[in-house]
Amino acid sequence: MAMQSHEDAAATGHEPAAPGHEAGAAGAHEGAAGGHESSGLPQFDFSQWPGQIAWFLIMFFVVMAFMRFFATPKLGGTIEARDGKIAGDIADARRMKDEADTQAQTAAAETTQAHARARKVAADARAKGQAEIAARLAEEEAKLAVIASEAEARIAKARDAAMANVATIGRETAQAIVAKLTGKAATPAELAAVAKG
């Protein structure tokens, strides 16, 4: 086995390393890694600062260009569109408020006119009704006056007739009394004297 590895080494042209030599190389490798780890964070390694600053500036300008040419205009357009929409909404609200105020004033004026017309119609109807009532009352009073005058004429006629009957009844009664008392019929002169007395 040792012979075969020796032949392989001869074929490759490298001499096999001694076991001590292999251990020394591994220790040197570990020492280099340990030395690299012991230097700390790369941000605090002053030898790497120029590269870090260069990359920082490159990224800063890339971000600035992106913000300047893409993000800010889009954001500004959105803000302007929002401001325009708000201004439009406020203008629409003011216009609608003005229209509502105008309609309210028109409605109030129409209501006032309607109330005035209603009062006028009511007053006209009241006046017309009172005129009709007065005319009807005058007509009824005229009818009642005619009826009263006719009744008075009838009453006077009946009174005259009654008075005439009273005179006749009085003469007849006087004749009966005279005939009863004297046994003779009363003369017309005596009856006239009784009627006058």
Side-chain angles (χ1 to χ4, degrees):
M1 179 75 77
M3 187 188 276
Q4 186 178 358
S5 63
H6 190 61
E7 288 175 359
D8 289 340
T12 57
H14 293 292
E15 284 290 324
H21 182 65
E22 288 177 2
H29 208 322
E30 288 175 3
H36 184 62
E37 289 176 1
S38 66
S39 65
L41 295 172
Q43 293 87 344
F44 297 119
D45 187 2
F46 294 111
S47 64
Q48 295 186 11
W49 275 23
Q52 291 178 1
I53 292 172
W55 278 109
F56 172 76
L57 291 174
I58 290 170
M59 293 306 295
F60 177 76
F61 284 114
V62 166
V63 170
M64 285 294 294
F66 174 77
M67 293 296 289
R68 171 69 178 86
F69 295 110
F70 296 103
T72 304
K74 188 171 184 181
L75 183 62
T78 303
I79 291 172
E80 288 177 3
R82 183 171 174 268
D83 290 343
K85 184 175 185 311
I86 290 171
D89 291 344
I90 291 172
D92 289 342
R94 285 179 180 162
R95 179 180 53 78
M96 290 168 62
K97 180 183 178 297
D98 292 340
E99 289 178 359
D101 290 342
T102 303
Q103 290 176 358
Q105 291 174 356
T106 303
E110 289 177 355
T111 303
T112 303
Q113 291 176 357
H115 286 171
R117 284 196 299 268
R119 284 193 293 269
K120 185 177 182 302
V121 168
D124 291 345
R126 193 179 304 113
K128 185 178 179 182
Q130 288 176 350
E132 289 179 357
I133 290 169
R136 190 75 59 84
L137 283 174
E139 187 178 334
E140 294 298 325
E141 286 176 357
K143 288 180 183 177
L144 288 174
V146 170
I147 292 171
S149 62
E150 290 176 355
E152 287 176 359
R154 283 197 301 271
I155 290 169
K157 189 176 178 182
R159 187 179 58 240
D160 294 341
M163 292 303 288
N165 288 337
V166 166
T168 304
I169 291 169
R171 275 195 304 272
E172 291 175 355
T173 304
Q175 284 178 353
I177 290 172
V178 170
K180 188 81 169 166
L181 291 175
T182 59
K184 296 190 284 184
T187 62
E190 291 173 342
L191 290 175
V194 170
K196 285 180 182 178

